Amino acid sequence: MDMNENDADASLAERLAGVDLDAEIDDDKMVKIWEALTEKEREEFTSLVNRQQIDAILTPWKPWWYESEKPEISEITNDVSEQTKKSAIPPVLAIGAPVQTLTQKVHPSVIFQLAQISLAYVYMMRHLNGEPYGSNLPVAFTDIITASPLVASKVSEIYNSTHEALLVGFCNIDETMSIASKCTLLSDLLAIYSKSMYVAAMVSEVYSIANSLISQDPNFGLKKSKVKYAERRLYFIISIVKQMQAETDPWEFMAADIALLKQRFESEAEAMKSSPGRF
């Protein structure tokens, strides 16, 4: 049903008054929204899409790690996605155990594995525009284990440095990733590792994604055993992160390593600009 001329005089908000835009957008709702647009609005929308100017239509998403709010402390429930909506910054889950009760010895490479998990997280969040829950859950989990396969693997890769873990992570995501994209993700990591609570919030959300998948039936086509293994590994990582929070500036060394890698990429980009024929 198309709009008539009298309807077009109403504001777009008035025309969409009967449509719940806060709930998930399905095909029927898309039809109602399209029918509420004037002919001119439809032409403008189509023109923007045809010119690949979709950014002019969508509201830009601002990553929570660039916010100044303090993360919440939250008990874990079966509906983790609802907890996350309460704050721009994910809640730090009230879970974990003393590390010495989980293992006799923590291998030093676990910290470098955490760096790769962090890279997987910021990549996933940018890929999904900050919406990892609902119908995006299987994609979110797949993004994470693609960039950091060790999350859901019984065999842990041994990394000797933060740089090695991150470089492998970049290759896992896309071997042809541009330097600009790598620097964007590294800037994201620098923001997260600037605050100990942000690191805890980040790991909590990765755990929450796996935990949310386990409670789903069906399991979105993912192997439940793999998701459960990821949840157990992430529980261990959260325990380590929380234990390190008691230290002064526990992530200063990680931020320094990330900054050096970003500087390296930026230097490579400058060299390519100044001597394009050599590359």
Side-chain angles (χ1 to χ4, degrees):
M1 180 179 68
D2 289 334
M3 291 179 46
N4 57 45
E5 293 183 2
N6 292 330
D7 292 333
D9 292 334
S11 69
L12 182 58
E14 291 172 329
R15 284 178 266 140
L16 294 174
V19 181
D20 184 3
L21 298 177
D22 292 326
E24 186 174 350
I25 305 294
D26 54 23
D27 291 342
D28 290 340
K29 195 171 293 184
M30 286 296 297
V31 171
K32 291 179 182 178
I33 294 172
W34 183 256
E35 289 178 346
L37 299 178
T38 64
E39 189 63 33
K40 182 179 179 182
E41 287 167 342
R42 293 178 187 177
E43 289 176 358
E44 290 176 350
F45 179 88
T46 303
S47 176
L48 287 170
V49 172
N50 289 340
R51 286 183 283 138
Q52 297 184 333
Q53 291 183 312
I54 197 68
D55 288 345
I57 304 168
L58 300 176
T59 302
W61 169 68
K62 184 178 181 180
W64 62 259
W65 45 89
Y66 293 120
E67 300 288 345
S68 58
E69 302 170 33
K70 186 177 180 180
E72 299 174 0
I73 304 296
S74 176
E75 296 288 341
I76 187 167
T77 71
N78 289 331
D79 194 354
V80 183
S81 60
E82 286 303 314
Q83 299 174 27
T84 307
K85 292 175 184 176
K86 295 178 183 177
S87 173
I89 300 174
V92 176
L93 300 179
I95 61 172
V99 176
Q100 62 270 22
T101 66
L102 302 176
T103 184
Q104 292 183 347
K105 184 178 180 181
V106 178
H107 196 280
S109 68
V110 170
I111 296 301
F112 306 137
Q113 292 171 5
L114 174 61
Q116 191 180 81
I117 293 171
S118 306
L119 174 65
Y121 174 77
V122 296
Y123 162 71
M124 175 276 296
M125 289 292 280
R126 285 197 173 274
H127 178 207
L128 296 178
N129 208 37
E131 298 180 2
Y133 296 101
S135 60
N136 284 342
L137 264 176
V139 180
F141 184 77
T142 301
D143 277 355
I144 289 168
I145 64 173
T146 296
S148 186
L150 60 92
V151 171
S153 173
K154 291 183 179 180
V155 180
S156 297
E157 286 193 61
I158 303 300
Y159 298 119
N160 296 310
S161 68
T162 302
H163 286 195
E164 181 185 2
L166 292 177
L167 290 173
V168 172
F170 282 129
C171 288
N172 290 340
I173 296 169
D174 182 0
E175 292 184 359
T176 64
M177 182 184 293
S178 69
I179 290 178
S181 295
K182 291 176 181 177
C183 287
T184 295
L185 295 178
L186 290 174
S187 293
D188 291 340
L189 294 185
L190 283 172
I192 288 176
Y193 281 95
S194 69
K195 297 183 180 181
S196 182
M197 287 291 284
Y198 281 11
V199 179
M202 176 273 298
V203 178
S204 291
E205 182 144 71
V206 179
Y207 177 91
S208 297
I209 290 167
N211 180 265
S212 296
L213 272 172
I214 288 174
S215 65
Q216 298 292 327
D217 189 25
N219 204 212
F220 289 107
L222 296 167
K223 287 186 178 180
K224 206 153 192 172
S225 59
K226 180 172 283 192
V227 181
K228 284 185 175 179
Y229 190 83
E231 184 194 38
R232 289 196 297 270
R233 180 177 287 272
L234 290 164
Y235 182 90
F236 178 64
I237 295 291
I238 286 177
S239 299
I240 292 175
V241 167
K242 288 197 169 182
Q243 184 164 300
M244 290 189 67
Q245 277 187 289
E247 301 177 14
T248 303
D249 296 325
W251 304 111
E252 187 176 14
F253 75 96
M254 184 81 82
D257 284 348
I258 294 167
L260 283 173
L261 184 58
K262 182 171 181 280
Q263 187 178 39
R264 168 183 154 185
F265 283 137
E266 289 172 340
S267 296
E268 289 178 4
E270 286 299 317
M272 291 172 68
K273 286 180 183 178
S274 60
S275 304
R278 294 178 56 191
F279 297 91

Coordinates of all heavy atoms in Angstrom, one line a residue, residues 61 63-65 115-128 130 144 170 173 184-190 192-193 202 206:
W61 N 28.4 3.6 14.5 CA 28.5 3.0 15.7 C 29.9 3.4 16.4 O 30.9 3.3 15.8 CB 28.5 1.4 15.5 CG 28.9 0.7 16.8 CD1 28.2 0.6 17.9 CD2 30.1 -0.1 17.0 NE1 28.9 -0.2 18.8 CE2 30.0 -0.6 18.3 CE3 31.2 -0.4 16.2 CZ2 31.0 -1.4 18.8 CZ3 32.2 -1.1 16.7 CH2 32.1 -1.7 18.0
P63 N 32.5 2.4 19.2 CA 32.9 1.4 20.1 C 32.9 1.8 21.5 O 33.3 2.9 21.9 CB 34.4 1.0 19.6 CG 34.4 1.5 18.2 CD 33.5 2.7 18.1
W64 N 32.5 0.9 22.4 CA 32.3 1.2 23.8 C 33.7 1.5 24.4 O 33.7 2.3 25.4 CB 31.6 0.1 24.6 CG 32.3 -1.3 24.6 CD1 32.0 -2.3 23.8 CD2 33.4 -1.6 25.4 NE1 32.9 -3.4 24.1 CE2 33.7 -3.0 25.1 CE3 34.2 -1.0 26.4 CZ2 34.8 -3.7 25.7 CZ3 35.2 -1.7 27.0 CH2 35.5 -3.0 26.6
W65 N 34.8 1.0 23.9 CA 36.1 1.2 24.5 C 36.6 2.6 24.3 O 37.6 3.0 24.9 CB 37.1 0.2 24.0 CG 37.1 0.0 22.5 CD1 37.8 0.7 21.6 CD2 36.4 -1.0 21.8 NE1 37.6 0.2 20.3 CE2 36.7 -0.9 20.4 CE3 35.5 -2.1 22.2 CZ2 36.2 -1.7 19.5 CZ3 35.0 -2.9 21.2 CH2 35.3 -2.7 19.9
A115 N 46.0 -11.5 24.0 CA 46.2 -10.4 23.0 C 45.4 -10.8 21.7 O 44.7 -10.0 21.1 CB 47.6 -10.1 22.7
Q116 N 45.6 -12.1 21.3 CA 44.9 -12.5 20.0 C 43.4 -12.6 20.2 O 42.7 -12.2 19.3 CB 45.5 -13.9 19.6 CG 45.1 -14.3 18.2 CD 45.6 -15.7 17.9 OE1 45.1 -16.7 18.2 NE2 46.7 -15.7 17.1
I117 N 43.0 -13.0 21.4 CA 41.5 -13.1 21.7 C 41.0 -11.6 21.6 O 39.9 -11.4 21.1 CB 41.3 -13.7 23.0 CG1 41.6 -15.2 23.0 CG2 39.8 -13.5 23.4 CD1 41.6 -15.9 24.3
S118 N 41.7 -10.7 22.1 CA 41.3 -9.3 22.1 C 41.2 -8.8 20.7 O 40.2 -8.1 20.3 CB 42.3 -8.4 22.9 OG 42.5 -8.9 24.2
L119 N 42.1 -9.1 19.8 CA 42.1 -8.8 18.4 C 40.8 -9.4 17.8 O 40.1 -8.7 17.0 CB 43.3 -9.2 17.7 CG 43.3 -9.0 16.2 CD1 43.3 -7.6 15.8 CD2 44.6 -9.7 15.5
A120 N 40.6 -10.7 18.1 CA 39.4 -11.3 17.5 C 38.1 -10.6 18.0 O 37.2 -10.4 17.2 CB 39.3 -12.8 18.0
Y121 N 38.1 -10.1 19.2 CA 36.9 -9.4 19.7 C 36.7 -8.1 19.0 O 35.5 -7.8 18.6 CB 37.1 -9.2 21.2 CG 36.0 -8.3 21.8 CD1 34.7 -8.9 22.1 CD2 36.1 -7.0 22.1 CE1 33.7 -8.1 22.6 CE2 35.1 -6.2 22.6 CZ 33.9 -6.8 22.9 OH 32.9 -6.0 23.4
V122 N 37.7 -7.3 18.9 CA 37.5 -5.9 18.3 C 37.1 -6.1 16.8 O 36.3 -5.4 16.2 CB 38.7 -5.0 18.4 CG1 38.8 -4.7 19.9 CG2 39.9 -5.5 17.9
Y123 N 37.7 -7.1 16.1 CA 37.4 -7.4 14.7 C 35.9 -7.8 14.6 O 35.2 -7.3 13.8 CB 38.3 -8.5 14.2 CG 37.7 -9.2 12.9 CD1 37.7 -8.5 11.7 CD2 37.1 -10.4 13.0 CE1 37.1 -9.1 10.6 CE2 36.6 -11.0 11.8 CZ 36.6 -10.3 10.7 OH 36.0 -10.9 9.5
M124 N 35.5 -8.7 15.5 CA 34.1 -9.2 15.5 C 33.1 -8.0 15.7 O 32.1 -7.9 15.0 CB 33.9 -10.2 16.5 CG 32.5 -10.7 16.7 SD 31.5 -9.7 17.8 CE 32.3 -10.0 19.4
M125 N 33.4 -7.2 16.7 CA 32.5 -6.0 17.0 C 32.4 -5.1 15.9 O 31.3 -4.5 15.6 CB 33.0 -5.3 18.3 CG 32.8 -6.2 19.6 SD 31.1 -6.4 20.0 CE 30.8 -4.8 20.8
R126 N 33.5 -4.8 15.2 CA 33.4 -3.9 14.0 C 32.7 -4.5 12.9 O 31.9 -3.9 12.2 CB 34.8 -3.4 13.6 CG 35.4 -2.4 14.6 CD 36.6 -1.7 14.0 NE 37.0 -0.6 14.9 CZ 36.5 0.6 14.9 NH1 35.5 0.9 14.1 NH2 37.0 1.6 15.7
H127 N 32.9 -5.8 12.7 CA 32.2 -6.6 11.6 C 30.7 -6.5 11.8 O 29.9 -6.4 10.9 CB 32.7 -8.0 11.6 CG 32.0 -8.9 10.6 ND1 31.9 -10.2 10.7 CD2 31.4 -8.6 9.4 CE1 31.3 -10.7 9.7 NE2 31.0 -9.7 8.9
L128 N 30.3 -6.7 13.1 CA 28.8 -6.7 13.4 C 28.3 -5.4 13.9 O 27.2 -5.3 14.4 CB 28.6 -7.8 14.5 CG 28.9 -9.2 14.0 CD1 28.7 -10.2 15.1 CD2 28.1 -9.6 12.8
G130 N 28.9 -3.7 16.4 CA 28.6 -3.6 17.9 C 27.4 -4.4 18.3 O 26.9 -4.2 19.4
I144 N 35.2 -14.9 16.2 CA 36.1 -15.0 17.2 C 37.1 -16.2 17.1 O 38.3 -16.1 17.2 CB 35.4 -15.0 18.6 CG1 34.8 -13.6 18.9 CG2 36.4 -15.4 19.7 CD1 33.9 -13.6 20.1
F170 N 45.9 -11.5 12.6 CA 45.6 -10.7 11.3 C 45.6 -11.7 10.1 O 44.7 -11.6 9.3 CB 46.7 -9.7 11.1 CG 46.5 -8.4 11.9 CD1 47.6 -7.9 12.7 CD2 45.3 -7.8 12.0 CE1 47.5 -6.8 13.5 CE2 45.2 -6.6 12.8 CZ 46.2 -6.1 13.5
I173 N 42.4 -13.7 10.1 CA 41.2 -12.9 9.6 C 41.2 -12.7 8.1 O 40.3 -13.0 7.4 CB 41.2 -11.5 10.3 CG1 41.0 -11.7 11.8 CG2 40.1 -10.6 9.8 CD1 41.3 -10.4 12.6
T184 N 43.6 0.4 12.6 CA 42.4 0.7 13.3 C 42.1 -0.3 14.4 O 41.8 0.1 15.5 CB 41.2 0.7 12.3 OG1 41.3 1.7 11.3 CG2 39.9 0.8 13.0
L185 N 42.3 -1.5 14.1 CA 42.1 -2.6 15.1 C 43.2 -2.5 16.2 O 42.8 -2.7 17.4 CB 42.2 -4.0 14.5 CG 41.1 -4.3 13.4 CD1 41.3 -5.7 12.8 CD2 39.7 -4.2 14.1
L186 N 44.4 -2.1 15.9 CA 45.4 -1.9 17.0 C 45.1 -0.7 17.8 O 45.3 -0.7 19.0 CB 46.8 -1.8 16.3 CG 47.3 -3.0 15.7 CD1 48.7 -2.7 15.0 CD2 47.5 -4.1 16.7
S187 N 44.5 0.3 17.2 CA 44.1 1.5 18.0 C 43.0 1.1 19.0 O 42.9 1.5 20.1 CB 43.6 2.6 17.1 OG 44.6 3.2 16.4
D188 N 42.1 0.2 18.5 CA 41.0 -0.3 19.4 C 41.6 -1.1 20.6 O 41.2 -0.9 21.7 CB 40.1 -1.3 18.6 CG 39.3 -0.6 17.6 OD1 39.1 0.6 17.7 OD2 38.8 -1.3 16.6
L189 N 42.7 -1.9 20.3 CA 43.3 -2.6 21.4 C 44.0 -1.7 22.4 O 44.0 -1.9 23.6 CB 44.3 -3.6 20.8 CG 43.8 -4.8 20.0 CD1 44.9 -5.7 19.6 CD2 42.7 -5.5 20.7
L190 N 44.6 -0.6 21.9 CA 45.3 0.3 22.8 C 44.3 1.0 23.7 O 44.5 1.2 24.9 CB 46.0 1.4 21.9 CG 47.3 1.0 21.3 CD1 47.8 2.1 20.4 CD2 48.4 0.7 22.4
I192 N 41.4 -0.4 24.7 CA 41.0 -1.4 25.7 C 42.0 -1.6 26.8 O 41.7 -1.7 28.0 CB 40.6 -2.7 25.0 CG1 39.3 -2.6 24.2 CG2 40.5 -3.9 26.0 CD1 38.9 -3.8 23.4
Y193 N 43.3 -1.7 26.3 CA 44.4 -2.0 27.3 C 44.8 -0.8 28.1 O 45.8 -0.8 28.9 CB 45.6 -2.7 26.6 CG 45.3 -4.2 26.4 CD1 44.8 -4.6 25.2 CD2 45.5 -5.1 27.4 CE1 44.5 -6.0 25.0 CE2 45.2 -6.4 27.2 CZ 44.7 -6.9 26.0 OH 44.4 -8.2 25.8
M202 N 35.9 -6.7 28.2 CA 36.1 -7.3 26.9 C 36.1 -8.8 27.0 O 35.3 -9.5 26.3 CB 37.4 -6.8 26.3 CG 37.8 -7.5 25.0 SD 38.7 -9.0 25.1 CE 40.2 -8.5 26.0
V206 N 33.3 -11.7 25.6 CA 33.6 -12.9 24.8 C 33.0 -14.2 25.5 O 32.5 -15.0 24.8 CB 35.1 -13.0 24.6 CG1 35.4 -14.3 23.8 CG2 35.7 -11.8 23.9

